[in-house]
Amino acid sequence: MAKANSAGFLIRHIAEVELLFAKNVFGLAEVKIVAKTLIAGKDTGEWTNLAELKEMTSLAAKMLEKAILETSDWSEVIETKEFGKKTKAEAFGRIVTHTAYHAGQLALVLKYGK
């Protein structure tokens, strides 16, 4: 049976993917990110520092917002290995649903976790 992801893992993962979108989808070159949750591919139990998690989520929100505000052509097609060709508008929908999906998982972890 698969082990459930921790709250820390989910928080870190959401922030990493938002930063990846800001950088790779919306072209915000100033973003520097090593997606450790994606590299690990599972919860390793290392994401427990609340201050670091808060800092990373704050940075992700700031960078994604900046990337979105700087986007003028939402019909521009971008291509990534993860989801192929999409307009920036479609890619925006993808990051919103990704965050919402994992936020729902996080809510369940917080409700039923130990």
Side-chain angles (χ1 to χ4, degrees), residues 1-50:
M1 187 165 117
K3 182 180 156 197
N5 290 325
S6 67
F9 174 87
L10 290 167
I11 292 167
R12 169 88 190 200
H13 178 69
I14 290 167
E16 286 177 351
V17 174
E18 288 178 351
L19 287 166
L20 285 171
F21 264 73
K23 178 180 180 183
N24 297 334
V25 173
F26 293 104
L28 200 59
E30 68 194 77
V31 173
K32 308 294 182 225
I33 177 64
V34 176
K36 293 181 180 182
T37 62
L38 295 176
I39 293 167
K42 62 181 181 177
D43 190 347
T44 60
E46 65 191 274
W47 297 290
T48 59
N49 185 316
L50 184 57

Side-chain angles (χ1 to χ4, degrees), residues 13-14 17-18 21 64 83 86 89-105:
H13 178 69
I14 290 167
V17 174
E18 288 178 351
F21 264 73
L64 189 56
F83 52 80
K86 293 207 179 306
E90 292 168 326
F92 179 70
R94 178 76 171 94
I95 189 57
V96 169
T97 57
H98 175 269
T99 297
Y101 176 80
H102 288 304
Q105 289 180 319

Side-chain angles (χ1 to χ4, degrees), residues 43-93:
D43 190 347
T44 60
E46 65 191 274
W47 297 290
T48 59
N49 185 316
L50 184 57
E52 286 179 8
L53 292 168
K54 284 181 170 182
E55 184 178 325
M56 183 165 214
T57 58
S58 177
L59 175 65
K62 178 180 167 188
M63 291 295 102
L64 189 56
E65 179 181 25
K66 181 176 182 183
I68 289 166
L69 291 173
E70 290 180 2
T71 298
S72 57
D73 183 3
W74 288 92
S75 65
E76 178 185 351
V77 175
I78 51 97
E79 184 171 3
T80 69
K81 64 180 181 178
E82 292 81 19
F83 52 80
K85 291 182 180 180
K86 293 207 179 306
T87 65
K88 286 190 175 183
E90 292 168 326
F92 179 70

